[in-house]
Amino acid sequence: MIMEITIIGSSLVSDVQQTFSEAYPFLRVEFFKKRHTQGKMFLKEDKIPPYVKIGDLSKNLKPGKIDISDSRTVTEFEQQCREMTGLEVQVLRRSGSSWIQTSLTDDWSLERQNREGELLNNPQPAKTWEQAMEDRMPDME
C-alpha cells in the first residue's frame, strides 16, 4: 500500500488527489485558497481545481513526502500538507453519493475514516434473529 505522497513544484493537485484516493478509496482530499473559520465549512469558490500546479499557488512550498500511513490522523495529515504546501487542505469521506468533511472526526486515523466510508457505502444486510443465533451456536456435526 502507498504510504506517502511526493510533492514538488510541478505536482498537480490531481496528482496528490489520485495517489491519496488509491490508498484510501472512500476518502478524498481537496485543496483550498483560504482557511475556513472554526466550526464553518470550506467554501466551494475557494476550492483549487485539480489541473493546477501546487508550485504555481504556493510561495512557501517545501518539496518532500507527506506521510499517509494508516495510523496517521486526519489532523496530522492536513497539518503536514498545510506546512509543506502553504495551502489549506480538507479530507472528505464518501457517504453514499455525497462527500462529507471529516471535521468532527479529524482525530480518527486515515484507515478508520476509510473503513467508516466503506461501511457507509457497502452496508451488510441485517441478519434475522435465527441467522444470528446460528452464527453463535457451535457446529453439531
Side-chain angles (χ1 to χ4, degrees):
M1 181 160 155
I2 302 163
M3 292 295 157
E4 59 190 21
I5 299 173
T6 301
I7 299 221
I8 56 175
S10 62
S11 297
L12 299 175
V13 168
S14 62
D15 296 335
V16 176
Q17 291 171 323
Q18 181 178 348
T19 303
F20 186 81
S21 291
E22 285 172 9
Y24 301 105
F26 294 94
L27 301 180
R28 185 169 93 189
V29 63
E30 294 287 355
F31 287 82
F32 294 87
K33 297 171 193 165
K34 290 193 242 174
R35 188 175 194 116
H36 65 92
T37 349
Q38 187 69 26
K40 303 281 185 189
M41 303 291 227
F42 279 101
L43 301 174
K44 264 187 182 174
E45 59 264 20
D46 290 333
K47 189 163 90 169
I48 299 170
Y51 55 82
V52 174
K53 288 182 186 174
I54 292 174
D56 290 348
L57 292 172
S58 178
K59 295 174 179 66
N60 304 321
L61 180 68
K62 297 174 185 154
K65 296 184 185 304
I66 296 176
D67 178 6
I68 60 167
S69 55
D70 285 351
S71 61
R72 192 83 194 242
T73 67
V74 170
T75 299
E76 292 167 336
F77 167 75
E78 289 176 349
Q79 184 176 354
Q80 186 181 13
C81 285
R82 197 175 301 116
E83 289 168 0
M84 287 181 66
T85 66
L87 303 171
E88 293 303 316
V89 178
Q90 177 65 53
V91 172
L92 299 109
R93 182 178 61 234
R94 187 169 168 204
S95 181
S97 61
S98 300
W99 291 91
I100 57 171
Q101 291 185 22
T102 61
S103 305
L104 297 175
T105 54
D106 278 353
D107 59 330
W108 289 7
S109 69
L110 293 171
E111 191 273 331
R112 181 177 178 191
Q113 289 282 2
N114 192 64
R115 192 174 63 241
E116 184 71 19
E118 184 176 16
L119 289 172
L120 290 170
N121 290 284
N122 297 318
Q124 298 299 315
K127 291 183 178 184
T128 65
W129 182 85
E130 290 83 7
Q131 290 169 325
M133 288 297 107
E134 282 178 23
D135 290 349
R136 299 176 93 189
M137 301 295 283
D139 256 347
M140 301 301 240
E141 295 179 48

